[in-house]
Amino acid sequence: MSSWPWLQSGRIGDPQTPSLGSLAVSDFLRSYLTVAIFGAVALLLAGGILSLGRLIRPSHGNAEKLLTYESGVDPTGDMWSQSNIRYYVFALLFVMFDVEAVFLFPWATRLEAYGVFGLVEMGIFILILLLGLVYAWRKGMLRWV
Amino acid sequence: MSILAELAYWQQTSLRVAAGLVAVLLPAGTLVYLYLFKMMSFMQSRLGPMEAGPFGSLQLVAEVGKWLQKEDIIPTRADRLIFGLAPFIVLMSTFLLVVVIPFGPDAFFADLPTGIYFALAVGSISVIGILMAGWASANKYSLLGGLRAAGQLIAYELPMVLAVVGVVIQAGTLNMQGIVVAQADGEIFGWGGIGNPYILTQFVAFAIFLIAVQAELTQTPFDMPVAESELVSGYLTEYSGIRFLLFFISEYATAGAFSAIIAVLFLGGWYIPGIDIDDNVFNVIGPIVMMVKIVLVSFVIFWFRFTMPRFREDQLQRLAWKVLIPLALVNIAATAVLKVAF
């Protein structure tokens, strides 16, 4: 597979080789330049459609039309109202597990090189995090009421 | 690298950008016409659009023309800057998601060594855009919808990420091309007749990923963020005209992109058994193979959408935290043990 140099150099069972191997750094950076260009193209496309529409769409705004929609009646009170604290708790739980996932990926790519040692190590790591989930579960944090 | 390697970087990139626009817009258009217009109509015993073009096939053109002529309404109480920025960010997230999808040995946009990891990372940027849309609209429905969407997207982000770990353990690489090659070279207990499409050996991960994608796309049965009967249309309530169209394009393009990622991770990507994987012919038939797989996978996604009733908010969170995440962790453990044992 000459097209994918890092696949060859990062061969499983050879933990010494860095996974980027013989891939030139400029190629590596260039692929991220392509990513940045794609992001810019997305913004240009959205901006292009918006300004194309400006040429042909009407613009007759009045106070009633620009009122906030609230099922046909006049909006009341503060629009940025209070909301459920649950969302905050779930966001905290999410951070915990997302960090776990970050640690799982490098281990998953090189599992064959680490063998049984890596398996046991990661088993302990997942178990500790699982305890966190069980704790949150027991405390009733996963209940949405 | 045969043909493309001789071109300068800017020439390659221009080709890739042109192809990228097709790869974003073509699946989106196909899904909207094929499934949203036609399949949904047939499942509800009606014909769907029939007037514009043969069998209504030009309806999309008519729709885009209609959206272009709509007045651009920004409510006076809305936060104008963030309100305007939100659809841009959601659309950008979709484009960055498409970047890593390979359509053939040389037909890729950017072959990142950490392909699938990058995809999972940029895929969740859309949460920020949706939260911005919900907040900046200064509308009670929008705020609730935005919060619901954020809560749902981060809850289902985890099963999705953990399901991918199982595939990564089997493939031994994060690179999307590498995952395709690993499936093509793979064997199922010593039999390599069709390679090893991971839908066979990672079926649990496939099921979890499919459910999580359904939730990430806020499609029924997970459409609480845009539930019409409760929240008008959630974070989209105040958006009209072109700005709504941007959200709409991005939603269906993301559906196509996630279908493509499922095709790469679980269905063998651009490879089909019977042809040598080093054959250059895959640069030509690869995109076609991918398109067929995208349409097949998204058929399942839309089938669920048109069949299932809506969950309740507590059922949604319970499914993610108490069923899918433990199941995904068990799947990782089982895959890892089997990988080390054999």
Side-chain angles (χ1 to χ4, degrees), chain B residues 36-59:
Chain B
L36 196 67
F37 287 172
K38 282 301 179 183
M39 190 172 86
M40 179 156 78
S41 302
F42 291 156
M43 288 172 85
Q44 298 170 346
S45 302
R46 55 192 176 91
L47 287 174
M50 289 298 282
E51 297 298 327
F55 299 100
S57 52
L58 297 177
Q59 184 69 30

Side-chain angles (χ1 to χ4, degrees), chain A:
Chain A
M1 260 0 98
S2 57
S3 312
W4 306 295
W6 52 84
L7 288 187
Q8 243 166 16
S9 52
R11 197 161 279 291
I12 295 161
D14 178 16
Q16 301 308 317
T17 328
S19 56
L20 283 177
S22 60
L23 183 70
V25 172
S26 67
D27 270 359
F28 176 74
L29 288 180
R30 272 188 168 178
S31 60
Y32 280 97
L33 181 61
T34 315
V35 171
I37 290 172
F38 264 73
V41 166
L43 297 183
L44 283 177
L45 180 75
I49 300 177
L50 254 169
S51 30
L52 184 69
R54 173 163 296 181
L55 297 176
I56 51 176
R57 69 180 169 227
S59 177
H60 308 298
N62 56 42
E64 281 75 35
K65 194 187 275 179
L66 297 180
L67 213 56
T68 302
Y69 178 77
E70 211 167 288
S71 307
V73 295
D74 286 349
T76 53
D78 186 16
M79 295 305 151
W80 286 293
S81 53
Q82 291 185 331
S83 49
N84 201 329
I85 187 72
R86 288 280 158 206
Y87 292 108
Y88 177 70
V89 174
F90 278 104
L92 280 182
L93 273 176
F94 167 74
V95 171
M96 181 182 91
F97 275 92
D98 219 27
V99 171
E100 172 192 6
V102 170
F103 284 116
L104 276 176
F105 272 97
W107 164 79
T109 42
R110 319 270 317 152
L111 179 60
E112 217 156 73
Y114 297 140
V116 178
F117 167 73
L119 192 65
V120 174
E121 279 286 298
M122 213 37 150
I124 295 169
F125 179 69
I126 293 178
L127 208 65
I128 292 173
L129 278 156
L130 214 54
L131 279 178
L133 183 66
V134 171
Y135 178 75
W137 196 326
R138 289 281 298 169
K139 281 279 178 185
M141 277 164 75
L142 300 185
R143 217 173 45 231
W144 184 280
V145 184

Side-chain angles (χ1 to χ4, degrees), chain B residues 32 36 88 144 159 171 180 191 193 210 213 217-218 220 233 236 251 266-267 282 312 314 323 326:
Chain B
V32 170
L36 196 67
F88 283 74
L144 270 177
V180 173
W191 179 67
L210 198 62
V213 163
L217 294 171
T218 63
T220 329
S233 48
L236 295 173
E251 182 185 340
F266 297 103
L267 301 178
F282 270 118
R312 277 201 322 264
D314 62 319
V323 179

Side-chain angles (χ1 to χ4, degrees), chain B residues 206-240:
Chain B
F206 172 73
I208 295 171
F209 198 87
L210 198 62
I211 295 170
V213 163
Q214 196 84 13
E216 293 279 314
L217 294 171
T218 63
Q219 300 221 29
T220 329
F222 304 102
D223 68 335
M224 288 74 94
V226 290
E228 301 90 346
S229 46
E230 313 160 19
L231 294 178
V232 191
S233 48
Y235 56 89
L236 295 173
T237 303
E238 292 292 356
Y239 283 89
S240 57

Side-chain angles (χ1 to χ4, degrees), chain B residues 72-132:
Chain B
D72 185 31
I73 297 173
I74 302 179
T76 26
R77 298 178 77 164
D79 187 333
R80 289 186 71 93
L81 176 67
I82 299 180
F83 187 86
L85 224 54
F88 283 74
I89 288 181
V90 174
L91 193 69
M92 192 167 84
S93 159
T94 306
F95 266 76
L96 293 183
L97 198 59
V98 172
V99 167
V100 291
I101 299 165
F103 287 86
D106 299 328
F108 54 82
F109 303 120
D111 195 20
L112 306 176
T114 54
I116 183 62
Y117 195 66
F118 175 85
L120 293 170
V122 295
S124 48
I125 291 179
S126 64
V127 181
I128 298 170
I130 287 171
L131 207 51
M132 281 164 68

